[in-house]
Every structure is written in C-alpha cells, then in structure tokens.
Amino acid sequence: MSAIGMYKLLRRLEPARAQLAAHGVYQSLETIEDVRIFMEHHVFAVWDFMSLLKVLQGHLTCTTVPWVPVGSPRLRRVINEVVLGEESDEVDGRPTSHFELYHHAMKAIGAQTRAIDRLIADVRDGASIEVALHECGAPVGSSAFVQNTFEIIASGKLHMIAAAFAFGREEPIPNMFRTLVAALARQNSEKVQSLVSYLDRHIGLDEDHHAPMVVEMLAELCGDDPVRWDEAAQAAIASLSARLTLWSVVVSEVSLTRMGISRRRAA
C-alpha cells in the first residue's frame, strides 16, 4: 500500500512540480541587483526550513531529559543525519549551519539582511511568528511562505510535516538550485561565488543523501493509511504552491526595481 500511496502522491504533485521547474524566476536574474532581491526574499525560506526539521527531530528522537528510546531507530538515524548536515555542516574546514552560510553569501553580494536579522531577534525575544513577520517588514511572498510552513507545523500531524519537508523542500531543491547555478553563471562576478557554493553544497547533499532518506521517512510514517497519504499530498501541494508564490513575488519585485518603483526597504 505504501508504494501505491507514494505513486498517487507523486501523480498529484506533477502539475506543481512542472510549474516550479519552468518558473520564470530563474531567467529573471540578469544582474547582481536581481540576485540581491532574490536572496532577500529567499532567505526566509532558508530560515524556516530549520523549524520543519526541528519539529521532526523533536518527534522522531528524544530531546528531553531523562533520555528514553523513541520510535524507529532508522528514522532517528535519518533525521539526526539531516540535522547534522543542516545545522552544523563542515564547510572549508569550519562548522556552520546552512542558514549562516546563506547569510554570509548575502553579505558577500551586498544584499540587505536587516529584515531577516530583525525577525530572528524578535523570535529570540519571544515574539510570535505573525508579529515578527510584520515587525521585520518581510516581503509579502516570504511572509506567506513562512506562514504556510507554520500552519503545517501547527497541524501537529507528523506525516504532513514530513511531506512538506520532503516534497516541499528537500526533493525539489537539486533541480531548482541547479537551474539557479546556471542562471548565476551569466553574472560572471566573484560576488556570487559564495551563493553558488551554497547552492552546489545543497545539490550534492540533498540529491545523493537527504532527499532519498526523507522520502523513505515519509513512506514509513504514512504506511498503509490512505488518509495519511491524502493529507501528506495536501501538505506537499501547499508547500509547493507557497514556493511558486514566493518565486512570482521575486519576479514582480525584480520588474518593479527595474522600473524604479521598488517597494524594498532601505538598509
């Protein structure tokens, strides 16, 4: 049944996955300024990825004291390996999270980090996601994307969270990022090299390791339950739709900036 459930899920995702692959955002990045705009929007997706991951870790492993064995040892191994790579990867001989790697790439290219920095500061001080998004002035597409992520988290349904993580994040990333790398190659600028390094790291890590593991994790969580497979598909479609909206907002912002009527806030 799990094989049938996965087959049906993939069939339902086909339209959104095709739209994502053909989206105009990749061809819109013609200048360094275009790339800055992209990063200022996309960084919110880089950040909230970790909350999806941490929810999964919290449910699939024991993160409390005293420790007791929780759930499937195989799933514990999967999620802890992904956490190791995402939260404390080793890049150029130094440990770093992928969010911090992306933040460094933003600085290298001259992108504004004020909004995401304010969001993190407000969340650290106890603000709700809704308040933090409003106060930091997050772009509308980024705000909608993050809100969708936390709505799925709030469902409390692990198979839905895993579906959003697997098919809204890990599985599409290699193809998306490979297309972005090709687009950035047109820049012929040293300023984009940190971003390219970030993208290349994800292509290899997700394609060869993380994506296959988390897809298998989802299959185990849904098992033979058709209701879980249906809810998983809904969550994955919602995540892909949020990504499409985010990409469309980036294209719109790039166009507005070229016309001299950008809505971006000053640093």
Side-chain angles (χ1 to χ4, degrees), residues 103-192:
H103 192 278
H104 171 75
M106 291 181 72
K107 292 286 191 179
I109 203 172
Q112 299 174 19
T113 64
R114 188 181 70 168
I116 190 65
D117 291 343
R118 171 69 185 274
L119 175 79
I120 291 172
D122 287 352
V123 168
R124 185 178 283 123
D125 288 342
S128 69
I129 292 298
E130 293 77 9
V131 169
L133 286 168
H134 175 73
E135 292 299 321
C136 79
V140 61
S142 304
S143 180
F145 188 95
V146 173
Q147 288 179 49
N148 173 76
T149 297
F150 280 88
E151 285 171 7
I152 293 172
I153 290 173
S155 74
K157 296 185 176 183
L158 198 59
H159 56 284
M160 293 180 67
I161 298 167
F165 188 75
F167 287 104
R169 302 302 184 97
E170 293 283 21
E171 195 275 338
I173 279 177
N175 286 337
M176 280 195 307
F177 283 7
R178 198 171 276 115
T179 308
L180 280 169
V181 168
L184 292 171
R186 301 194 302 264
Q187 301 289 338
N188 193 29
S189 170
E190 288 295 322
K191 292 182 179 180
V192 302

Side-chain angles (χ1 to χ4, degrees), residues 4-226:
I4 296 173
M6 183 64 73
Y7 173 76
K8 289 182 176 179
L9 180 146
L10 291 172
R11 287 293 301 272
R12 290 176 65 178
L13 297 187
E14 280 180 5
R17 294 170 83 186
Q19 291 178 58
L20 191 58
H23 201 283
V25 69
Y26 312 111
Q27 299 306 314
S28 72
L29 306 181
E30 298 178 359
T31 68
I32 292 295
E33 180 62 15
D34 298 341
V35 179
R36 292 187 185 116
I37 293 169
F38 171 84
M39 297 186 77
E40 289 164 14
H41 287 68
H42 180 232
V43 66
F44 288 87
V46 177
W47 171 76
D48 81 345
F49 170 94
M50 287 302 301
S51 290
L52 280 172
L53 178 56
K54 284 298 182 175
V55 170
L56 290 169
Q57 186 184 35
H59 282 277
L60 296 174
T61 75
C62 180
T63 57
T64 58
V65 176
W67 179 88
V68 294
V70 171
S72 161
R74 193 176 74 84
L75 293 188
R76 293 199 299 263
R77 173 76 182 192
V78 166
I79 207 65
N80 280 332
E81 186 168 333
V82 177
V83 169
L84 176 64
E86 297 289 346
E87 191 173 35
S88 51
D89 197 5
E90 187 171 314
V91 179
D92 296 330
R94 293 177 295 179
T96 185
S97 71
H98 286 177
F99 170 78
E100 289 164 313
L101 194 62
Y102 195 90
H103 192 278
H104 171 75
M106 291 181 72
K107 292 286 191 179
I109 203 172
Q112 299 174 19
T113 64
R114 188 181 70 168
I116 190 65
D117 291 343
R118 171 69 185 274
L119 175 79
I120 291 172
D122 287 352
V123 168
R124 185 178 283 123
D125 288 342
S128 69
I129 292 298
E130 293 77 9
V131 169
L133 286 168
H134 175 73
E135 292 299 321
C136 79
V140 61
S142 304
S143 180
F145 188 95
V146 173
Q147 288 179 49
N148 173 76
T149 297
F150 280 88
E151 285 171 7
I152 293 172
I153 290 173
S155 74
K157 296 185 176 183
L158 198 59
H159 56 284
M160 293 180 67
I161 298 167
F165 188 75
F167 287 104
R169 302 302 184 97
E170 293 283 21
E171 195 275 338
I173 279 177
N175 286 337
M176 280 195 307
F177 283 7
R178 198 171 276 115
T179 308
L180 280 169
V181 168
L184 292 171
R186 301 194 302 264
Q187 301 289 338
N188 193 29
S189 170
E190 288 295 322
K191 292 182 179 180
V192 302
Q193 289 311 303
S194 293
L195 175 56
V196 170
S197 295
Y198 167 90
L199 298 172
D200 281 339
R201 179 60 176 156
H202 269 273
I203 290 168
L205 200 59
D206 293 339
E207 188 167 56
D208 297 334
H209 302 289
H210 291 177
M213 290 192 304
V214 297
V215 168
E216 289 182 11
M217 174 184 70
L218 175 62
E220 185 168 330
L221 291 172
C222 289
D224 295 332
D225 189 335

